[in-house]
Amino acid sequence: MTNYAITGITGRFGRAALKTLIDLVPADHIIALARNVEKAKTMVPAGVEVRPGDYANTDQLKASLTGVDRLLLVSSQPGQEMPRLQQHKDVIDAAKAAGVAYIAYTSFPHADTATTPLADDHKQTEAYIKASGLAYSFLRNNWYLENEADVLKGAMAGQPLVYSAGAGKAGWALEREYAEAGARVLAADNTKAIYELAGQARTYQDLADAIDASFDVLAVDDAAYEQGLEKAGLDAGTAALVTSFHTLIRDGQLDEDTDDLPTVLGRELTPLADAIKIVTAE
């Protein structure tokens, strides 16, 4: 019988994916990979095996992936001691050496053609997976609504909703919906090579219109937005990074027209107003 594994199980995406996967396949055929094994053991459902899953330890990963047929590789976070791309390559090498047949990888929207630097690691990871000869699915996740949690919570509290994305659109959806989709693809018998996963494309004004509160909506340019973030206490580097997300949206790189996400889920996505309530309550 097929054995499944999910990396990064102590992270929010990995936990949500596991929550779905255990409803789709037997628990004793699921392996949860985590850097902190003891922490993971307190979080996984009964019957799921926990193994070490440090992206920076190839030998450990080879052993942990032995016997695994299908792997959900949750992309690593940038800015660590070992570059994210190298971490991904090490996991892929370990998977191939261990005999894994298939990898589902959480990537970036249109990673192969995206021009933003945010897509670079994903583009190269996709290419590395293709070159590995392993069967694959690229889960090109759009934008998590949780990325806007602070903005949404502020608006709910009556603070101005400020943005510099103009009329640009993003395919916001709940992270748990993307994670559920990842688990469903992992467990599926027939899969596509590429899934452009996204919610309905919407603007920041659309987000504002869906919030049940009274607040001002202010559209500004990037310089003013970045300056505002610094005044609010963010360091210059973080303020520039957050502003770059708005530039990305304004430039149309997250404007998506696809039904891949609801199709994989087999249902409609959480309505925007309800999704905002979920995010602001967490």
Side-chain angles (χ1 to χ4, degrees), residues 118 164 222-223 225-230 234-248:
L118 294 174
S164 66
D222 282 349
Y225 185 74
E226 186 171 345
Q227 184 178 40
L229 292 175
E230 291 184 26
L234 293 185
D235 62 82
T238 303
L241 177 63
V242 174
T243 302
S244 74
F245 299 156
H246 285 244
T247 305
L248 181 75

Coordinates of all heavy atoms in Angstrom, one line a residue, residues 118 164 222-223 225-230 234-248:
L118 N 10.9 37.1 -5.8 CA 10.3 36.1 -4.9 C 10.1 34.8 -5.5 O 10.0 33.8 -4.8 CB 8.9 36.7 -4.4 CG 8.9 38.0 -3.6 CD1 7.5 38.4 -3.3 CD2 9.6 37.7 -2.2
S164 N -0.7 50.1 -1.1 CA -0.1 50.8 -2.3 C -0.2 49.9 -3.6 O 0.5 50.2 -4.5 CB 1.4 51.1 -2.0 OG 2.2 50.0 -1.9
D222 N 4.1 53.6 -3.2 CA 5.0 52.8 -2.5 C 5.8 53.5 -1.4 O 6.0 53.0 -0.3 CB 5.9 52.0 -3.5 CG 5.2 50.9 -4.2 OD1 4.1 50.5 -3.8 OD2 5.8 50.3 -5.1
A223 N 6.3 54.7 -1.8 CA 7.2 55.4 -0.9 C 6.4 55.8 0.4 O 6.9 55.6 1.5 CB 7.7 56.7 -1.6
Y225 N 3.8 54.3 1.5 CA 3.4 53.1 2.3 C 4.6 52.6 3.1 O 4.4 52.2 4.3 CB 2.9 52.0 1.3 CG 2.4 50.8 1.9 CD1 1.2 50.7 2.6 CD2 3.2 49.6 2.0 CE1 0.7 49.6 3.2 CE2 2.7 48.4 2.6 CZ 1.5 48.5 3.2 OH 1.0 47.3 3.9
E226 N 5.7 52.5 2.4 CA 6.9 52.0 3.1 C 7.3 52.9 4.3 O 7.6 52.5 5.4 CB 8.1 52.0 2.1 CG 9.4 51.4 2.7 CD 10.4 51.1 1.7 OE1 10.1 51.2 0.4 OE2 11.6 50.9 2.0
Q227 N 7.1 54.3 4.1 CA 7.4 55.2 5.2 C 6.5 55.0 6.4 O 6.8 55.0 7.5 CB 7.3 56.6 4.7 CG 7.7 57.7 5.7 CD 7.6 59.1 5.1 OE1 6.6 59.4 4.4 NE2 8.5 59.9 5.5
G228 N 5.2 54.7 6.0 CA 4.2 54.5 7.1 C 4.5 53.2 7.9 O 4.3 53.2 9.1
L229 N 5.0 52.2 7.2 CA 5.4 51.0 7.9 C 6.5 51.2 8.9 O 6.6 50.7 10.0 CB 5.8 49.9 6.9 CG 4.7 49.3 6.0 CD1 5.2 48.4 5.0 CD2 3.6 48.6 6.8
E230 N 7.5 52.0 8.4 CA 8.6 52.3 9.3 C 8.2 53.1 10.5 O 8.6 52.9 11.6 CB 9.7 53.1 8.5 CG 10.4 52.2 7.5 CD 11.5 52.9 6.8 OE1 12.1 53.8 7.4 OE2 11.9 52.5 5.6
L234 N 8.3 49.0 12.0 CA 9.0 48.0 11.2 C 10.4 48.5 10.9 O 10.6 49.7 10.6 CB 8.3 47.6 9.9 CG 7.0 46.9 10.1 CD1 6.4 46.5 8.7 CD2 7.1 45.7 11.0
D235 N 11.4 47.7 10.8 CA 12.7 48.1 10.4 C 12.7 48.3 8.9 O 11.8 47.8 8.2 CB 13.8 47.0 10.8 CG 13.5 45.7 10.1 OD1 13.9 45.5 8.9 OD2 12.9 44.8 10.7
A236 N 13.7 49.0 8.4 CA 13.7 49.4 7.0 C 13.6 48.2 6.0 O 12.9 48.2 5.0 CB 14.9 50.2 6.6
G237 N 14.3 47.1 6.4 CA 14.3 45.9 5.5 C 13.0 45.3 5.4 O 12.5 44.9 4.3
T238 N 12.3 45.1 6.6 CA 11.0 44.5 6.6 C 10.0 45.4 5.9 O 9.1 44.9 5.2 CB 10.6 44.2 8.0 OG1 11.6 43.4 8.7 CG2 9.2 43.5 8.1
A239 N 10.1 46.7 6.1 CA 9.1 47.6 5.5 C 9.3 47.5 4.0 O 8.3 47.6 3.2 CB 9.4 49.0 6.0
A240 N 10.5 47.4 3.5 CA 10.7 47.3 2.0 C 10.2 46.0 1.5 O 9.6 46.0 0.4 CB 12.2 47.4 1.7
L241 N 10.3 44.9 2.2 CA 9.8 43.6 1.8 C 8.3 43.6 1.7 O 7.7 43.2 0.7 CB 10.3 42.5 2.8 CG 9.8 41.1 2.5 CD1 10.3 40.6 1.1 CD2 10.2 40.2 3.6
V242 N 7.6 44.2 2.8 CA 6.2 44.2 2.7 C 5.7 45.1 1.6 O 4.7 44.7 0.9 CB 5.6 44.7 4.1 CG1 4.1 44.9 4.0 CG2 6.0 43.7 5.2
T243 N 6.3 46.2 1.4 CA 5.9 47.1 0.3 C 6.1 46.4 -1.1 O 5.3 46.5 -2.0 CB 6.8 48.4 0.3 OG1 6.6 49.0 1.6 CG2 6.4 49.3 -0.8
S244 N 7.1 45.5 -1.2 CA 7.3 44.8 -2.4 C 6.2 43.9 -2.7 O 5.9 43.6 -3.9 CB 8.6 44.0 -2.4 OG 8.5 42.8 -1.6
F245 N 5.5 43.4 -1.7 CA 4.3 42.5 -1.9 C 3.2 43.4 -2.6 O 2.5 42.9 -3.5 CB 3.8 42.0 -0.6 CG 4.7 41.1 0.1 CD1 4.6 40.9 1.5 CD2 5.8 40.4 -0.6 CE1 5.5 40.1 2.2 CE2 6.7 39.6 0.1 CZ 6.5 39.4 1.5
H246 N 3.0 44.6 -2.2 CA 2.0 45.5 -2.8 C 2.4 45.8 -4.3 O 1.5 45.9 -5.1 CB 1.9 46.7 -2.0 CG 1.1 46.5 -0.7 ND1 -0.1 47.1 -0.4 CD2 1.4 45.8 0.4 CE1 -0.5 46.7 0.7 NE2 0.4 45.9 1.3
T247 N 3.7 46.0 -4.5 CA 4.2 46.2 -5.9 C 3.9 45.0 -6.7 O 3.4 45.1 -7.9 CB 5.7 46.5 -5.9 OG1 6.0 47.6 -5.0 CG2 6.2 46.9 -7.3
L248 N 4.1 43.8 -6.2 CA 3.8 42.6 -6.9 C 2.4 42.5 -7.3 O 2.1 42.2 -8.5 CB 4.2 41.4 -6.0 CG 4.0 40.0 -6.5 CD1 5.1 39.7 -7.4 CD2 4.0 39.0 -5.3

